[in-house]
Amino acid sequence: MPRTDEQNRLIRDERREQIIRAALKVFARRGMASAKISDIASEAGFSHGLVYHYFKSKEEIFTTLIRRALENSAMLVQHAKRQAGTPMERLQWMTRVMLQNIESEGAYYFLIMIQAFTSDAVPEEVKQLLPEHFLSTLEATLPIIEEGQRAGQIAQGDSFQLAVCYYSLIQGLAVNRFQLNDAPLPDAETVLRIFSPGNSG
Amino acid sequence: MPRTDEQNRLIRDERREQIIRAALKVFARRGMASAKISDIASEAGFSHGLVYHYFKSKEEIFTTLIRRALENSAMLVQHAKRQAGTPMERLQWMTRVMLQNIESEGAYYFLIMIQAFTSDAVPEEVKQLLPEHFLSTLEATLPIIEEGQRAGQIAQGDSFQLAVCYYSLIQGLAVNRFQLNDAPLPDAETVLRIFSPGNSG
DNA sequence: GTCTATAAATCGATAGAC
DNA sequence: GTCTATCGATTTATAGAC
């Protein structure tokens, strides 16, 4: 008895997801250029030929992953902006979510994002996507920070710089997961200390 | 008129340095596995055959670079410990030096260190070097932090966690240099705010 | 010391069988 | 939908000329 179209569609969607999931780990640990299609295929549990049935090329898989990462981080900031509470409470919420993500599979996304930014061995399409998306996500947090500054909850000074510091710390912590295997992540309060208006000169 | 042995030695030393310098940038931007020997050679300005005259393999070049990075960071922490002043002043000195390094070529070193930690495509020798060196450098900063905590200059809490946060922030800022091309680095005071005992719960 | 030519291995991508 | 066989291009590393 042959499969129905609906069943085929389900298989297709599942295979694509399996490939994406496997590729995330393989790209993160081997790099876009030196990751082998056969690594991705065997991580997902099937032959390398099948990968090409679902994706045109290795580059297309990588680009799909980067798109997903950019969408997710943009969505997170939008959620944070619509959160209830003081600016600091919204930042706390966002920080907690990011730290939780890093504790699971999110750390891999940071690794491929760093590759996307720093590596020359990356599809041209990715290089074009990055600047605008990254900057606009960063800028989306500025209103929260500036509101906190007006309320005296956050240190005065260039809000863009503060956002860069904040994002850099999160990014550094994600990488650090691979440097110190079983060290627990700090809590959101410690991270948010970079916004502290405490003793600023 | 043939060259003397001394002249040959000078040439040898200079060539090795040229290769190392070129390899740093190429490895940082293409990754250890997908960096081509010919990329390194042409970045240094000579043929790929010559690279093999000075290094046994691509892996040996990468390992040399990682060794150098580990030595430099260990030395920096030792210098900081012998610095005069309060714990916070010593941390400030160390932070300033690291930020200055990041502003020049130091950012490339962070990139290859991250690769060394996160990539499977790295020589076995490197994988063995990393854990002990990294941990001992991190631990070397603990006495400074703990002295600052006793003096009330630094927030209470797990000193190791604070060190991880501090190093993660520096690392994240180094990566960020490649994400926002012309954004200035924050000053040391902003970075050191993660030690701030200000408003901790 | 430096270069060019080449051998040997690897891997992305395709074709075709089931 | 899935797999195996294969082509073609790339690249590490070496050999040998200058």
Side-chain angles (χ1 to χ4, degrees), chain B:
Chain B
M1 169 165 59
R3 283 191 289 267
T4 67
D5 287 358
E6 174 65 10
Q7 282 173 322
N8 275 333
R9 200 184 57 75
L10 284 175
I11 288 178
R12 285 180 59 88
D13 288 353
E14 189 184 340
R15 290 289 173 272
R16 277 186 69 96
E17 260 319 301
Q18 286 173 332
I19 292 171
I20 291 284
R21 245 200 313 278
L24 172 61
K25 293 190 181 180
V26 175
F27 281 139
R29 310 277 319 184
R30 303 215 46 106
M32 147 75 203
S34 80
K36 289 174 279 188
I37 283 288
S38 58
D39 291 337
I40 298 173
S42 66
E43 171 83 26
F46 33 69
S47 77
H48 74 271
L50 193 59
V51 176
Y52 285 100
H53 190 71
Y54 290 100
F55 290 92
K56 204 176 89 287
S57 65
K58 194 169 69 167
E59 298 200 345
E60 191 185 294
I61 307 177
F62 189 79
T63 307
T64 304
L65 273 167
I66 294 296
R67 271 188 205 286
R68 195 173 283 198
L70 289 171
E71 283 166 16
N72 288 348
S73 52
M75 275 176 51
L76 181 63
V77 181
Q78 293 311 318
H79 272 282
K81 291 178 86 163
R82 293 182 191 118
Q83 206 76 6
T86 67
M88 257 320 220
E89 283 166 350
R90 275 173 280 165
L91 288 172
Q92 201 169 65
W93 177 85
M94 186 167 78
T95 306
R96 285 202 180 117
V97 174
M98 290 185 109
L99 289 177
Q100 275 168 14
N101 286 346
I102 289 174
E103 218 150 5
S104 55
E105 283 198 339
Y108 290 105
Y109 275 103
F110 277 91
L111 248 40
I112 64 165
M113 283 296 290
I114 290 174
Q115 284 176 34
F117 273 107
T118 62
S119 173
D120 290 340
V122 134
E124 201 54 40
E125 191 182 346
V126 167
K127 287 189 190 168
Q128 289 169 358
L129 280 172
L130 290 178
E132 46 170 340
H133 275 81
F134 182 68
L135 202 61
S136 72
T137 299
L138 208 79
E139 282 170 348
T141 66
L142 296 187
I144 310 181
I145 292 175
E146 284 160 10
E147 194 186 328
Q149 287 179 318
R150 283 192 296 275
Q153 289 185 324
I154 290 179
Q156 298 305 313
D158 185 352
S159 58
F160 188 80
Q161 279 244 10
L162 279 175
V164 167
C165 275
Y166 171 73
Y167 181 73
S168 294
L169 174 51
I170 300 278
Q171 175 172 253
L173 287 170
V175 173
N176 192 67
R177 292 255 86 189
F178 299 92
Q179 296 173 319
L180 292 170
N181 282 342
D182 45 3
L185 282 168
D187 48 28
E189 284 68 28
T190 306
V191 171
L192 292 171
R193 219 180 271 154
I194 60 167
F195 291 125
S196 157
N199 29 5
S200 49

Side-chain angles (χ1 to χ4, degrees), chain A residues 43-62:
Chain A
E43 170 84 25
F46 33 69
S47 77
H48 74 270
L50 192 60
V51 176
Y52 285 100
H53 189 70
Y54 290 101
F55 290 92
K56 204 176 89 287
S57 66
K58 194 167 72 164
E59 299 200 345
E60 190 186 294
I61 307 176
F62 189 79

Side-chain angles (χ1 to χ4, degrees), chain A residues 57-77:
Chain A
S57 66
K58 194 167 72 164
E59 299 200 345
E60 190 186 294
I61 307 176
F62 189 79
T63 306
T64 303
L65 273 166
I66 294 296
R67 271 188 205 283
R68 195 174 284 198
L70 290 171
E71 283 166 15
N72 288 348
S73 52
M75 275 175 52
L76 181 63
V77 181

Side-chain angles (χ1 to χ4, degrees), chain A residues 48 70 74 79 81 96 100 104 112 130 177 185:
Chain A
H48 74 270
L70 290 171
H79 272 283
K81 291 178 85 165
R96 285 200 179 118
Q100 276 168 13
S104 55
I112 64 165
L130 290 178
R177 292 255 84 190
L185 282 168

